[in-house]
Amino acid sequence: MIVTFTDFGVTGPYLGQMKARILEYNPASSIIDLMVDVPAFNIEAASLLLDGLICEMPQGCVYLCVVDPGVGGSRKPICLKCDECWFVGPDNGIFTSILARYADVEAYEILWRPDALSHSFHGRDLFAPVAAMLSKGQDFPRQQLEISELKKNIIKDKIVNIIYIDVYGNCWTSLREGDFPKERVLRVQGHRIAYADVFCQTQPGEAFWYYNSSGFVEIAVNQGNAARHFGLEIGNLMDVT
């Protein structure tokens, strides 16, 4: 199974072109779009979201991860073997949290190149074919890398910010369930927001925070839109008490 994780969105040609290229190289591939609306160009958010979302996925997936604002530049194309899974994408920090999750990682620079390689769309021309080849066990030119050579984001332990806003306006923060006990309070735009287990424990229109199904601390409004309610955007910082 190939799992796509991108900031392409669902409009325009990009996701369709990339998936068509996968099927060109492996017509038997099954493709799951795990997330195609990662905050655009936001490598730090992508790293955290990827790490959280893979928890509920089956073993043995090939993750095609294309959040690549430096496409065409000096960053390496890489693939990582982590237990039974593969991760394919740019060496730009997107795999920082994945590298912290897995104890046994093999890293490779992708040396294979297609006959035609767009300067601006390696997701379609380079990463998609490699993911397809990995999904069917086909070898391709690659060179092992030391883990220490890979790009890693600086982990900002004390910074809490909004990393994703879903279709309902619920705001995912960079906090994970194990980092933030229920007794804590989030301060959002001057308002103190307390914990509730689920939406139905609050009144319609009431704001609260909870642990969402992917293990992130999320700000929500029962039957409302938290982002609109508080005027929140990706990257906004949160105070915690």
Side-chain angles (χ1 to χ4, degrees):
M1 178 187 297
I2 294 176
V3 179
T4 66
F5 179 86
T6 81
D7 60 352
F8 296 170
V10 296
T11 59
Y14 308 118
L15 184 62
Q17 288 180 319
M18 191 172 73
K19 291 164 78 170
R21 191 57 52 86
I22 290 171
L23 295 173
E24 177 184 341
Y25 279 79
N26 184 3
S29 292
S30 58
I31 305 171
I32 298 295
D33 295 326
L34 177 61
M35 189 172 195
V36 296
D37 61 344
V38 176
F41 323 122
N42 194 325
I43 297 166
E44 291 79 10
S47 175
L48 294 170
L49 289 165
L50 178 63
D51 181 56
L53 291 171
I54 64 171
C55 296
E56 300 301 324
M57 299 298 290
Q59 288 296 311
C61 293
V62 178
Y63 292 91
L64 175 53
C65 306
V66 189
V67 179
D68 195 14
V71 62
S74 60
R75 94 292 176 265
K76 293 183 178 71
I78 61 172
C79 55
L80 306 177
K81 180 73 165 62
C82 304
D83 292 343
E84 299 178 34
C85 299
W86 282 96
F87 295 85
V88 180
D91 181 28
N92 61 7
I94 191 174
F95 299 122
T96 299
S97 297
I98 295 300
L99 292 169
R101 168 180 289 275
Y102 290 97
D104 185 17
V105 178
E106 298 173 14
Y108 300 91
E109 180 179 0
I110 299 166
L111 302 180
W112 176 87
R113 295 294 184 271
D115 293 336
L117 176 63
S118 165
H119 292 301
S120 61
F121 201 177
H122 289 186
R124 179 193 65 194
D125 297 338
L126 181 58
F127 297 131
V130 166
M133 288 186 274
L134 286 169
S135 72
K136 63 179 182 179
Q138 179 181 335
D139 199 13
F140 56 88
R142 58 190 172 190
Q143 175 177 292
Q144 189 155 14
L145 296 169
E146 295 294 330
I147 301 302
S148 60
E149 297 179 56
L150 301 179
K151 169 72 174 177
K152 301 180 186 68
N153 300 322
I154 297 173
I155 305 299
K156 303 170 184 174
D157 292 329
K158 297 183 180 179
I159 301 298
V160 180
N161 65 336
I162 303 298
I163 61 171
Y164 180 64
I165 299 173
D166 70 17
V167 67
Y168 298 105
N170 300 323
C171 300
W172 300 28
T173 76
S174 54
L175 289 168
R176 300 297 296 276
E177 183 171 351
D179 303 328
F180 202 65
K182 298 176 181 180
E183 296 75 23
R184 302 287 295 276
V185 173
L186 279 174
R187 189 179 297 275
V188 182
Q189 307 293 60
H191 299 272
R192 290 169 59 86
I193 308 298
Y195 172 85
D197 279 325
V198 287
F199 284 74
C200 63
Q201 289 183 346
T202 64
Q203 296 299 314
E206 182 181 350
F208 64 102
W209 72 264
Y210 77 118
Y211 305 128
N212 72 15
S213 60
S214 296
F216 290 91
V217 170
E218 179 178 298
I219 300 162
V221 171
N222 188 0
Q223 299 180 42
N225 185 305
R228 194 159 53 236
H229 182 85
F230 291 112
L232 296 174
E233 298 177 348
I234 301 296
N236 284 167
L237 300 180
M238 302 289 103
D239 293 327
V240 298
T241 57

